[in-house]
Amino acid sequence: MKPIEHIRNSVLLLMLALYLCLNYGFMLVRIPPSHGGGVPVGEVVLLLSLVSINYTRLLYRLSSVIYILPFIVWWIFGISSAIYATGSHGMWALRDATNILESLFILVGFAFAGNFAGIEQLFRWLPKILFAVSVYSLGYLFQGSLQSYSPVIMAGSGQIVSIFFQYINTSMMLLMAASFLMLYYTRSNFVQLLAIPFIVIYTVLLFQSRTVYLQVIALVLLFVIYKRELIGKGAVYFLVGLGGIALLPLSGIQIEGRLGQVASFDFIWRHFAAIWGVASHGLEGSAAGVAQRLDWWLIIYHRLISSPSTFLFGLGFGMPLVDFLYYGGITVREPHNSVISVFARVGLLGGFCFLWMHLQMIRVWRVSYKTCCRLGWGEWQNRLLILMVYFVLIWVFSIGEDALEKPFNAIPYYFFWGVVLRINWHINRHLEQAYQSSSPVRPSGG
């Protein structure tokens, strides 16, 4: 690896670690660090990474893996529309185009994984950051007190935010950590038997999020489809977890989570039912939020179909998509669903390209995973699967939140997709070399 590539890769991994761990707080850090001004760190790293890429070689190799037309249309149409909107709405237009701008990290991830040294560096880094996030998550119990010791920064909407001890995506990262343990620590041992159920129980009971329930279900389905040999072990962990929750009332321990509700089976059931708008004592707000989101989505739909132009090209960037103020008068800009945000901003043209891109990337992942299974490359199966775990968690998160409109989600998400596409390129290259030499196929790394 060239020195410049090593420096670029190290900076990228450091940035990803800070986004995954510090999430919202680090997202607001800008260069220079001025109140209300400056360029976000992610965009600075993106720009520096993009100027270091050999596009002739990269696009040729990327096009051998995937059909790049929808990517090109998505980037050109989306970014040009956002730049045009800055004339009327200022920098908010670029902020609203986060999903499009950060998707350029697909190119960065593809370049990063150009050789096996970069890939090995990534998968040595991943367990370390998952461990760091797991330790960092323990501060959630004392979030209010800890934030008083944190340096602060002014967000674009004018509110003061602590840089440390924000836990917006921490529950998702904990579920990824539990999945990593499932995949990589296959021996039955006492530590693993306790660690995985503890992580899941801690996540479910403390963060008290309906999204977490859906994410757990989605991960179970993912493992049923692609890693059935772990189902038996997963069932044991599940029973241990159920036992731990059942013993809480008997032990006299009362755990209050994010919503101030005492953790119990009854609360989990009632909170899960709130996903469909079923209200119960203490969860009236959660149930009402479902109807509110549906109203937002319906209003956006009617705005989109109000004219052929908005239907085809969207409502544009720079203005909030919903008419709602959060606590403290903070404007809510997105309808808490990333797919709806995409169609609202860039219409049928951009939304179609967005879905086409994702269907292609999912197809590439499936082909790569099946090839690794067929060739017996167990390590590469696990690497592809742990990245898919992150994708699934983001997809579920995007159903009821503006997940891909937040750089601390979007940047790792698209970067990891670039890595997946490059892994497929490496697989195809090695299969071709093996065919030409008539030698057994073996991975060159991992």
Side-chain angles (χ1 to χ4, degrees):
M1 184 185 299
K2 298 177 181 179
I4 186 65
E5 291 179 349
H6 180 75
I7 294 173
R8 180 194 66 190
N9 289 0
S10 298
V11 170
L12 281 167
L13 290 180
L14 176 60
M15 178 200 67
L16 289 171
L18 292 171
Y19 272 121
L20 292 173
C21 189
L22 303 182
N23 50 80
Y24 184 60
F26 183 70
M27 182 188 81
L28 299 176
V29 175
R30 299 176 290 269
I31 300 175
S34 57
H35 290 299
V39 181
V41 172
E43 272 58 46
V44 173
V45 175
L46 174 62
L47 180 61
L48 294 177
S49 299
L50 290 177
V51 299
S52 69
I53 290 174
N54 181 337
Y55 287 96
T56 302
R57 182 173 60 184
L58 181 138
L59 292 177
Y60 173 77
R61 293 180 174 179
L62 181 62
S63 63
S64 70
V65 171
I66 203 166
Y67 188 51
I68 64 173
L69 177 61
F71 294 83
I72 300 299
V73 175
W74 164 258
W75 287 323
I76 292 177
F77 173 63
I79 295 174
S80 61
S81 297
I83 293 174
Y84 177 78
T86 58
S88 303
H89 301 284
M91 297 307 293
W92 278 111
L94 295 179
R95 180 263 176 230
D96 292 338
T98 292
N99 195 348
I100 298 173
L101 292 171
E102 313 301 19
S103 66
L104 288 167
F105 271 97
I106 293 175
L107 300 177
V108 178
F110 194 83
F112 174 94
N115 56 61
F116 281 107
I119 298 176
E120 295 299 321
Q121 190 179 6
L122 171 64
F123 286 102
R124 286 194 306 269
W125 161 89
L126 186 57
K128 296 176 183 178
I129 190 59
L130 291 176
F131 177 77
V133 172
S134 299
V135 174
Y136 184 73
S137 72
L138 298 176
Y140 185 69
L141 294 165
F142 316 100
Q143 181 179 12
S145 300
L146 292 173
Q147 285 183 349
S148 63
Y149 297 100
S150 170
V152 298
I153 192 169
M154 180 179 288
S157 300
Q159 74 274 28
I160 301 299
V161 178
S162 64
I163 295 177
F164 298 105
F165 310 114
Q166 303 288 338
Y167 295 96
I168 307 299
N169 70 340
T170 304
S171 60
M172 183 178 72
M173 297 307 300
L174 287 172
L175 294 180
M176 189 176 182
S179 300
F180 186 90
L181 290 175
M182 284 280 292
L183 286 171
Y184 282 91
Y185 292 84
T186 56
R187 295 177 300 171
S188 297
N189 59 70
F190 185 69
V191 174
Q192 186 186 16
L193 183 64
L194 292 180
I196 294 176
F198 175 81
I199 291 173
V200 176
I201 292 173
Y202 180 85
T203 305
V204 170
L205 298 187
L206 269 295
F207 287 86
Q208 295 186 347
S209 166
R210 291 166 293 175
T211 299
V212 167
Y213 309 145
L214 297 177
Q215 288 173 328
V216 170
I217 293 172
L219 291 182
V220 170
L221 294 175
L222 178 68
F223 278 89
V224 166
I225 296 172
Y226 292 107
K227 210 70 174 177
R228 293 180 184 177
E229 62 268 27
L230 296 180
I231 297 304
K233 183 175 293 187
V236 173
Y237 300 146
F238 178 74
L239 292 175
V240 172
L242 288 180
I245 296 174
L247 288 174
L248 284 177
L250 299 178
S251 67
I253 299 174
Q254 291 189 337
I255 299 176
E256 289 190 5
R258 179 179 61 92
L259 299 177
Q261 297 282 315
V262 176
S264 65
F265 280 126
D266 176 66
F267 164 75
I268 293 174
W269 173 251
R270 291 187 296 110
H271 197 204
F272 184 78
I275 294 173
W276 290 273
V278 179
S280 60
H281 177 66
L283 295 173
E284 296 85 358
S286 297
V290 176
Q292 185 179 58
R293 282 171 170 80
L294 293 175
D295 287 341
W296 289 345
W297 302 346
L298 187 60
I299 291 171
I300 288 173
Y301 169 74
H302 286 300
R303 290 175 63 190
L304 273 175
I305 64 173
S306 63
S307 72
S309 176
T310 57
F311 179 70
L312 289 174
F313 304 116
L315 303 173
F317 301 92
M319 78 296 290
L321 293 175
V322 297
D323 183 17
F324 184 77
L325 296 179
Y326 196 60
Y327 299 113
I330 300 171
T331 301
V332 175
R333 305 187 63 82
E334 305 295 340
H336 287 199
N337 182 295
S338 288
V339 174
I340 290 177
S341 286
V342 167
F343 277 89
R345 296 293 185 189
V346 290
L348 182 64
L349 174 61
F352 177 75
C353 289
F354 177 79
L355 295 179
W356 190 1
M357 287 162 47
H358 276 81
L359 289 175
Q360 284 201 88
M361 292 190 295
I362 293 169
R363 179 191 61 81
V364 169
W365 182 91
R366 290 184 72 249
V367 169
S368 302
Y369 186 81
K370 288 185 175 181
T371 302
C372 291
C373 292
R374 178 170 55 86
L375 298 174
W377 295 354
E379 175 67 17
W380 291 93
Q381 293 174 46
N382 288 341
R383 289 176 172 183
L384 286 167
L385 195 54
I386 195 61
L387 295 181
M388 179 52 70
V389 164
Y390 186 79
F391 301 148
V392 169
L393 291 170
I394 288 290
W395 293 336
V396 177
F397 197 14
S398 298
I399 295 173
E401 299 293 340
D402 51 341
L404 290 176
E405 286 66 53
K406 296 290 192 295
F408 57 82
N409 292 320
I411 288 176
Y413 176 79
Y414 287 115
F415 179 86
F416 289 154
W417 268 123
V419 172
V420 168
L421 296 180
R422 195 54 176 259
I423 288 175
N424 179 264
W425 182 85
H426 285 299
I427 291 173
N428 293 337
R429 181 168 173 263
H430 280 274
L431 288 175
E432 181 181 350
Q433 290 177 346
Y435 176 78
Q436 293 175 350
S437 62
S438 299
S439 62
V441 179
R442 298 184 183 277
S444 298

